[in-house]
Amino acid sequence: MIENLIDLEEVSTDKLETIIKLAGEIKNDPDKYKESCRGKILATLFYEPSTRTQMSFQAAMMRLGGNTIGFDNPMNSSVAKGESLKDTVKIISGYADIIAMRHPAEGAARAASMFSDAPIINAGDGGHLHPTQTLTDIVTLYNEVGRLDHLKIGLCGDLKNGRTVHSLIKTMSHFEGNEFILVSTPDLEVPGYIKSILKASGCRYSELYNLNEAMPVLDVLYMTRIQRERFSSEEEYKRQSGIYVLDTKKLSLGKGSLKVLHPLPRVDEITSDVDKDPRAVYFKQAVYGMYARMALIYLMLNKPVEKKAQRHITENRVHKCDNPSCITRREPYLPNAFKNSGDMLTCLYCDNRMLI
Ligand code: NCD
């Protein structure tokens, strides 16, 4: 069973298939599920802006017959008075049956799950992960491409800060025969820990600067926005923006069977004339996202009621995570905790790796 959804690595491939199938079933027969969460409450705690993720969670819960509470601007909540994440989550988990949370700090959802009496869904934690976008993406691929394996997947744009990219690569590396073509500037490459995951998975991957070169071989192109909010200055952002633009000319280099995905919002990386091309499936993708979230909420709530066992974290009193965006840097009561392998520590919250 899914207790929390922090990282899809904690969900088996069988369970992923169950979610994909259920999303399809709900899409085909929504009436059958329209009372399935009657009397239940979803809280959406959004510490960062969102349109699709927040509203698709709310719409998903309402279409299952449940209700929603929450905030989309923490400045209108007790966070503005200095309340800790721990206290906010503890309180809300007494009001709601399930919580979807988006936060700018990496590892925030993991931290929240340590204090919550209700299951937590990670709706995006800084530049780290975005597992429900990945559910959206795989439901889209399953329905629009017909398979999740033996695909040549191009990912283009901000591969460093794009949490959707990190989650998607991790999940797709579990399916046989997938190959990744990572298109970015050298400054916006995928983080080292994602490359290590790719190496360990045995999947082939290559890194390219030029999108045109990749186009002819791709089955899937996953375009992403340059994540302006993750840059330290506007100049840094400007240096990286406008480099990758998918227009109809570039798209003409792609196969007829290519599918173009984008988690949205788009800024300037796909011109709007591409929208008319049947290979552009990003608007459909946003709709699949609602069904994916319906399936997820349904499965997380319709399980035998049991008291959540606290996740046991062993505190490391010697080392602190050195990632400035890690939640442990903002919420000082959190115990520092790492996975230890040889001379490497990996932060249990944000996956940052440090040599010791
Ligand atoms: C993505 C996100 O928030 O990471 N958006 C979304 O959830 N659909 C992608 C982005 O903001 O670029």
Side-chain angles (χ1 to χ4, degrees):
M1 280 298 163
I2 308 164
E3 189 180 79
N4 295 299
L5 182 66
I6 308 300
D7 180 342
L8 278 181
E9 292 301 287
E10 292 156 2
V11 178
S12 67
T13 309
D14 280 358
K15 195 78 191 172
L16 286 182
E17 279 166 15
T18 306
I19 297 171
I20 293 171
K21 298 249 157 73
L22 182 58
E25 247 176 77
I26 298 174
K27 188 168 183 283
N28 291 337
D29 189 2
D31 272 4
K32 189 171 155 199
Y33 294 89
K34 69 175 193 234
E35 298 293 333
S36 60
C37 290
R38 173 72 58 214
K40 302 280 190 201
I41 295 178
L42 163 79
T44 51
L45 308 191
F46 276 61
Y47 292 78
E48 254 193 355
S50 168
T51 305
R52 266 153 301 276
T53 306
Q54 190 193 17
M55 289 196 195
S56 69
F57 264 116
Q58 293 171 342
M61 190 52 164
M62 288 174 179
R63 285 174 186 267
L64 293 169
N67 286 305
T68 69
I69 56 173
F71 58 75
D72 55 13
N73 178 355
M75 287 304 125
N76 293 337
S77 78
S78 283
V79 175
K81 301 179 188 168
E83 187 170 61
S84 65
L85 177 66
K86 168 181 163 182
D87 286 0
T88 304
V89 165
K90 182 80 192 158
I91 298 303
I92 309 286
S93 70
Y95 302 155
D97 299 284
I98 189 163
I99 297 176
M101 189 182 96
R102 168 170 290 190
H103 197 283
E106 302 185 4
R110 172 84 64 215
S113 71
M114 290 157 54
F115 304 102
S116 177
D117 294 318
I120 297 278
I121 301 174
N122 182 4
D125 59 333
H128 185 219
L129 295 173
H130 194 345
T132 65
Q133 181 64 46
T134 299
L135 289 179
T136 300
D137 302 340
I138 62 177
V139 168
T140 307
L141 291 176
Y142 182 82
N143 285 284
E144 297 293 320
V145 181
R147 64 179 196 277
L148 297 177
D149 52 14
H150 298 94
L151 293 171
K152 284 198 169 50
I153 306 167
L155 297 110
C156 176
D158 191 345
L159 309 189
K160 177 181 177 206
N161 301 302
R163 53 194 171 197
T164 61
V165 167
H166 308 157
S167 284
L168 184 61
I169 293 178
K170 283 170 81 172
T171 297
M172 292 306 282
S173 70
H174 292 300
F175 293 91
E176 217 186 306
N178 285 334
E179 181 178 337
F180 299 86
I181 293 111
L182 308 172
V183 185
S184 75
T185 64
D187 286 333
L188 297 184
E189 281 177 10
V190 291
Y193 86 93
I194 295 288
K195 287 188 201 171
S196 304
I197 289 171
L198 279 173
K199 282 182 197 136
S201 74
C203 288
R204 292 175 56 178
Y205 77 92
S206 50
E207 295 183 273
L208 279 183
Y209 178 73
N210 191 326
L211 177 58
N212 284 2
E213 253 176 65
M215 285 306 289
V217 301
L218 300 179
D219 299 307
V220 176
L221 172 60
Y222 196 86
M223 288 299 290
T224 62
R225 160 183 84 88
I226 307 300
Q227 307 275 301
R228 185 184 217 136
E229 65 278 28
R230 313 269 178 239
F231 285 79
S232 52
S233 68
E234 189 61 12
E235 293 79 73
E236 287 285 315
Y237 166 71
K238 289 226 167 88
R239 251 200 296 282
Q240 297 293 334
S241 62
I243 297 176
Y244 297 106
V245 178
L246 181 70
D247 52 18
T248 46
K249 188 161 166 241
K250 241 179 226 132
L251 186 58
S252 71
L253 302 172
K255 294 187 198 171
S257 59
L258 172 72
K259 299 292 174 206
V260 180
L261 279 71
H262 190 310
L264 304 176
R266 126 178 89 181
V267 182
D268 56 3
E269 59 282 357
I270 302 183
T271 56
S272 58
D273 49 356
V274 169
D275 301 354
K276 293 191 284 290
D277 192 296
R279 291 173 288 180
V281 296
Y282 32 86
F283 292 127
K284 281 186 180 175
Q285 184 184 353
V287 179
Y288 284 121
M290 183 183 71
Y291 291 106
R293 292 183 173 104
M294 286 174 82
L296 178 70
I297 295 170
Y298 176 88
L299 289 171
M300 287 177 79
L301 287 179
N302 286 282
K303 62 177 187 182
V305 183
E306 61 199 47
K307 185 83 191 105
K308 247 168 53 85
Q310 278 297 349
R311 189 186 160 89
H312 188 68
I313 291 244
T314 311
E315 181 166 10
N316 183 320
R317 290 174 187 273
V318 181
H319 295 98
K320 280 190 185 338
C321 180
D322 64 7
N323 170 9
S325 306
C326 180
I327 188 68
T328 57
R329 306 288 290 264
R330 296 192 185 202
E331 306 272 333
Y333 53 84
L334 290 169
N336 278 281
F338 303 91
K339 268 176 276 179
N340 198 336
S341 50
D343 55 357
M344 185 77 82
L345 290 180
T346 304
C347 176
L348 280 189
Y349 299 87
C350 71
D351 283 312
N352 175 46
R353 298 180 324 152
M354 308 191 301
L355 276 175
I356 43 170

